[in-house]
Amino acid sequence: MNSTADWVRLGKSLQEGKELAALSTKLMNVSEFDNIESATQSLVSATQAYKDISPEDIVDKLNLVGNNFAISTDELATGLQNAAAVLMTQGNDLDEALGLLTSGNLIG
């Protein structure tokens, strides 16, 4: 319910809030997040920066990279939460942003 309320506070309809809360739950379940609030905050940041990409695609990309490279899904999502706006304004699409976060994690 809190996740739905978070989305509604951002201007989404109740139906959209429910659907986005379900995606936040999916992100929490496929990642190492231990609470819905962190997953929701990360997904909110990513969707606000990358408005041209559906939230479903964002969750799927985070999961794909987290499953196949030496970075966890929650590390990627948190990295996007911290840097998505800057990466987007610098012209990096979501795939490039995920690549930068993943490579930075490998050398960091």
Side-chain angles (χ1 to χ4, degrees):
M1 289 174 56
N2 288 340
S3 182
T4 301
D6 289 342
W7 288 105
V8 170
R9 276 193 292 276
L10 291 170
K12 304 297 182 184
S13 70
L14 183 57
Q15 183 59 38
E16 289 172 318
K18 288 178 184 177
E19 292 168 5
L20 289 164
L23 281 173
S24 297
T25 302
K26 178 181 176 182
L27 177 59
M28 184 184 74
N29 289 335
V30 300
S31 71
E32 296 73 21
F33 282 119
D34 58 3
N35 63 70
I36 190 65
E37 292 81 17
S38 296
T40 300
Q41 291 171 358
S42 292
L43 188 55
V44 164
S45 296
T47 58
Q48 288 180 335
Y50 294 102
K51 294 178 180 169
D52 58 331
I53 300 173
S54 74
E56 296 89 357
D57 287 343
I58 292 172
V59 171
D60 290 344
K61 285 177 185 260
L62 288 168
N63 188 40
L64 179 70
V65 174
N67 285 341
N68 290 295
F69 295 93
I71 189 168
S72 66
T73 304
D74 68 315
E75 287 174 320
L76 281 169
T78 301
L80 278 181
Q81 181 178 354
N82 295 329
V86 172
L87 291 167
M88 180 63 181
T89 59
Q90 294 302 309
N92 298 109
D93 65 22
L94 181 60
D95 293 331
E96 292 167 335
L98 294 176
L100 288 168
L101 291 169
T102 302
S103 62
N105 184 64
L106 291 174
I107 59 174

